[in-house]
Amino acid sequence: MLTQTVVRSAALRFGPPSRMVPVMPRAEARPAFGASDRAGSLDRTMRLMGTVISYPRGAEVFGEEEPADYIYKVVSGGVRTYKILGDGRRQIGAFHLPGDIFGLESGDKHRLSSETMADTRVLVVKRSALNAVAGRDASIAQELLALTSRQLEHMQRRILLLVKSARERVATFLVEMSERSPQSNTVELPMSRQDIADYLGLTIETVSRTLSYLQCSAMIEVPTSRRIVLRDRPALDHMNG
Amino acid sequence: MLTQTVVRSAALRFGPPSRMVPVMPRAEARPAFGASDRAGSLDRTMRLMGTVISYPRGAEVFGEEEPADYIYKVVSGGVRTYKILGDGRRQIGAFHLPGDIFGLESGDKHRLSSETMADTRVLVVKRSALNAVAGRDASIAQELLALTSRQLEHMQRRILLLVKSARERVATFLVEMSERSPQSNTVELPMSRQDIADYLGLTIETVSRTLSYLQCSAMIEVPTSRRIVLRDRPALDHMNG
DNA sequence: CGATGCGTTGATAACTTTCAAATTTAGTGG
DNA sequence: CCACTAAATTTGAAAGTTATCAACGCATCG
């Protein structure tokens, strides 16, 4: 009962950051968590108060249990948050794309670790500074609250996702990604199959097979392993609920 | 692929509230979400400002999408929050026992419905009134924030739970319930097998079989279907991580 | 009693994982 | 630029897990 791939997990999955990969070309994806970009004062404030830091692919931005002193916004590239489970498996909390704000824990410690999925630039803002501004500027406080609220909603959807079948999970994931994508029907995946599997609570093999199935069923096309074209959105939507 | 039990779901699972059942005897369980009871100002404030309302078993406290104008605290009995999925399945969000505060949505609409699992008394407080007090009394605001934070953590644990095997889910559920129980090793379940199944994303048959398995393995005893004695806590804990 | 709802158990089918191998892709060095 | 190596992805076959369908037991209630 899940004695499973501790070796595979530890040895293969979390090896040293491998070779470089071109930074994702996606310009400004619609964020899942971040304030929408045209929006507002929060974005401006963060740009004013923050510093942009560049990380190579596979770098750790923050670790689990570290004090949550900063708030982050992806400028370019991509970040995944994750947690290593007792049995060596990895559960991914979220994928953060350009425009997304992350590291917004309600406590004072990070509950997840985070690392880059590609060469990534991140805007870093001191939490205390942002809180100070929020104390003075209600619209900032409101935006921060809205962010937290959106995260809660996302977790709620996530819970609903995890009780569904593999096909539904993968289909939902693709639709979700496409909604964050600039081109509505083509999804450029910044993450590996292993990342997707750990996000959906499946194995890479099941993810791969499911994608093959969706392709055979003409719901999607997979021109390259990291690019997926949604061919039959209604059918994919239908697998959600 | 989950064409499944729409009939069973709709017809059997959500019929009219069935016969009465003695209100749970559990006096004051340790709450999972609520402020701890010995605590504080929030509890006092709610008691001062609130009204106690009694519901029969199976009554709806609030419905999905309804405006979230009130905050609730279970006085006696028990409440489940849930959502009906597109395919007729039901996902349970949480079980609230005496002392627990619920209905604390971050938005202005409820994202889940809620109904009583037994005859239940609930303390109801107008959200606007509580917010007004929170504006003046920082300790109240803090307690409310802590509540939200705890809910986020709970959802996080929930996500971790849902990627595990049936045995792990049930074991984790029992441990979680026992930690909220006044008697440390005996758990009085206020909910049906169907409730547990919908909470864990399993079927009633799997829940039942898993409980039988845990009993055969001498990890638990099941004197009556609603009462479970944890016999081997270390073994049960070990199934978590 | 006989009906009804809930929980348990059994047999089978469907789904997902595991283990293994083939295939493709990406990076490296000549 | 091409061949070579390592990594990622896909595919296959078998095993394991969970759901489904069906039957049964056991209370409660009229």
Side-chain angles (χ1 to χ4, degrees):
Chain A
M1 109 216 22
L2 292 166
T3 341
Q4 62 156 194
T5 29
V6 178
V7 173
R8 173 208 243 169
S9 307
L12 296 182
R13 288 160 65 175
F14 312 123
S18 36
R19 66 214 78 298
M20 290 310 204
V21 143
V23 172
M24 289 186 305
R26 60 172 61 258
E28 274 294 285
R30 242 166 299 154
F33 300 107
S36 56
D37 284 282
R38 37 162 184 59
S41 31
L42 177 58
D43 182 53
R44 259 198 312 282
T45 307
M46 286 186 71
R47 272 205 282 255
L48 278 173
M49 304 193 324
T51 313
V52 172
I53 301 186
S54 292
Y55 294 93
R57 173 195 165 110
E60 174 173 295
V61 179
F62 56 76
E64 195 179 331
E65 297 299 312
E66 281 180 18
D69 293 334
Y70 297 92
I71 289 171
Y72 307 84
K73 178 167 184 167
V74 181
V75 176
S76 67
V79 173
R80 62 178 166 245
T81 58
Y82 66 93
K83 200 174 182 107
I84 304 295
L85 278 61
D87 57 7
R89 279 175 303 172
R90 179 183 66 163
Q91 175 64 32
I92 287 194
F95 299 116
H96 300 284
L97 304 185
D100 287 354
I101 289 173
F102 68 101
L104 195 57
E105 321 285 329
S106 34
D108 55 354
K109 279 187 192 309
H110 289 294
R111 283 195 292 270
L112 301 165
S113 305
S114 73
E115 57 186 29
T116 57
M117 298 186 288
D119 292 349
T120 298
R121 281 181 304 145
V122 173
L123 178 62
V124 182
V125 186
K126 230 181 167 40
R127 173 189 301 269
S128 57
L130 199 58
N131 281 341
V133 177
R136 283 179 274 117
D137 184 341
S139 76
I140 301 266
Q142 248 175 339
E143 278 191 72
L144 285 173
L145 188 65
L147 277 178
T148 306
S149 174
R150 226 171 303 171
Q151 273 181 336
L152 262 170
E153 265 178 65
H154 189 261
M155 282 181 117
Q156 183 68 51
R157 276 204 303 278
R158 193 73 178 297
I159 287 174
L160 296 181
L161 183 66
L162 290 178
V163 304
K164 298 202 238 166
S165 71
R167 280 180 193 176
E168 292 173 296
R169 293 188 215 186
V170 172
T172 304
F173 171 73
L174 291 177
V175 171
E176 184 184 304
M177 286 303 293
S178 88
E179 280 164 0
R180 299 167 67 180
S181 169
Q183 316 115 81
S184 55
N185 276 334
T186 298
V187 180
E188 210 67 45
L189 296 174
M191 73 291 283
S192 69
R193 294 285 186 270
Q194 185 67 63
D195 287 337
I196 299 173
D198 290 345
Y199 180 73
L200 299 177
L202 300 169
T203 60
I204 43 174
E205 292 95 332
T206 299
V207 171
S208 183
R209 265 186 261 273
T210 305
L211 288 172
S212 299
Y213 165 82
L214 293 174
Q215 189 171 26
C216 289
S217 311
M219 295 195 227
I220 64 173
E221 272 172 53
V222 189
T224 78
S225 72
R226 294 288 184 109
R227 167 177 297 131
I228 294 182
V229 182
L230 276 52
R231 274 289 167 230
D232 189 351
R233 188 74 71 110
L236 292 169
D237 284 334
H238 184 266
M239 299 184 91
N240 304 358
Chain B
M1 84 201 64
L2 291 165
T3 343
Q4 60 153 197
T5 27
V6 179
V7 173
R8 174 209 243 170
S9 306
L12 297 183
R13 287 162 63 176
F14 312 121
S18 38
R19 68 211 72 302
M20 290 309 201
V21 143
V23 172
M24 288 186 305
R26 63 171 59 258
E28 276 292 288
R30 241 165 300 156
F33 300 108
S36 58
D37 283 282
R38 37 164 184 58
S41 30
L42 176 59
D43 181 55
R44 260 199 311 282
T45 307
M46 286 185 71
R47 272 206 282 255
L48 278 172
M49 303 194 324
T51 313
V52 173
I53 300 185
S54 291
Y55 295 93
R57 172 194 165 112
E60 175 173 293
V61 179
F62 57 75
E64 197 179 330
E65 296 299 312
E66 282 181 17
D69 292 335
Y70 296 92
I71 290 171
Y72 307 84
K73 178 166 184 168
V74 181
V75 176
S76 67
V79 173
R80 63 179 165 246
T81 58
Y82 66 93
K83 201 175 181 105
I84 303 297
L85 279 59
D87 57 5
R89 281 175 302 171
R90 179 182 66 162
Q91 175 64 32
I92 287 195
F95 298 117
H96 299 285
L97 304 185
D100 287 354
I101 290 174
F102 68 101
L104 193 58
E105 321 284 329
S106 35
D108 54 355
K109 279 185 192 310
H110 288 294
R111 283 195 292 271
L112 301 165
S113 306
S114 73
E115 58 187 28
T116 58
M117 299 186 288
D119 292 350
T120 298
R121 282 181 303 145
V122 173
L123 178 62
V124 182
V125 185
K126 229 181 167 43
R127 173 189 302 271
S128 57
L130 199 57
N131 281 342
V133 177
R136 283 180 273 116
D137 184 341
S139 76
I140 301 268
Q142 246 175 340
E143 278 190 71
L144 285 172
L145 188 65
L147 277 179
T148 306
S149 174
R150 226 171 305 173
Q151 273 180 336
L152 263 169
E153 266 177 64
H154 189 262
M155 282 180 117
Q156 183 67 49
R157 274 203 304 279
R158 194 71 179 297
I159 288 174
L160 295 182
L161 182 66
L162 290 178
V163 304
K164 298 202 236 163
S165 71
R167 281 181 194 175
E168 292 173 297
R169 292 188 216 186
V170 173
T172 303
F173 170 73
L174 292 176
V175 171
E176 185 185 302
M177 286 302 292
S178 86
E179 279 164 1
R180 297 166 69 180
S181 169
Q183 315 115 79
S184 55
N185 275 335
T186 299
V187 179
E188 210 68 45
L189 297 174
M191 72 290 284
S192 69
R193 293 286 186 270
Q194 185 68 63
D195 287 336
I196 298 172
D198 290 345
Y199 180 72
L200 298 177
L202 300 169
T203 61
I204 43 173
E205 292 94 333
T206 299
V207 171
S208 183
R209 264 186 261 272
T210 304
L211 288 172
S212 300
Y213 165 81
L214 292 175
Q215 189 170 25
C216 289
S217 311
M219 295 196 227
I220 64 173
E221 272 172 53
V222 189
T224 77
S225 72
R226 293 288 184 109
R227 167 177 297 131
I228 293 183
V229 182
L230 276 51
R231 274 291 168 226
D232 189 350
R233 187 74 71 110
L236 293 168
D237 284 334
H238 186 266
M239 300 184 90
N240 305 356

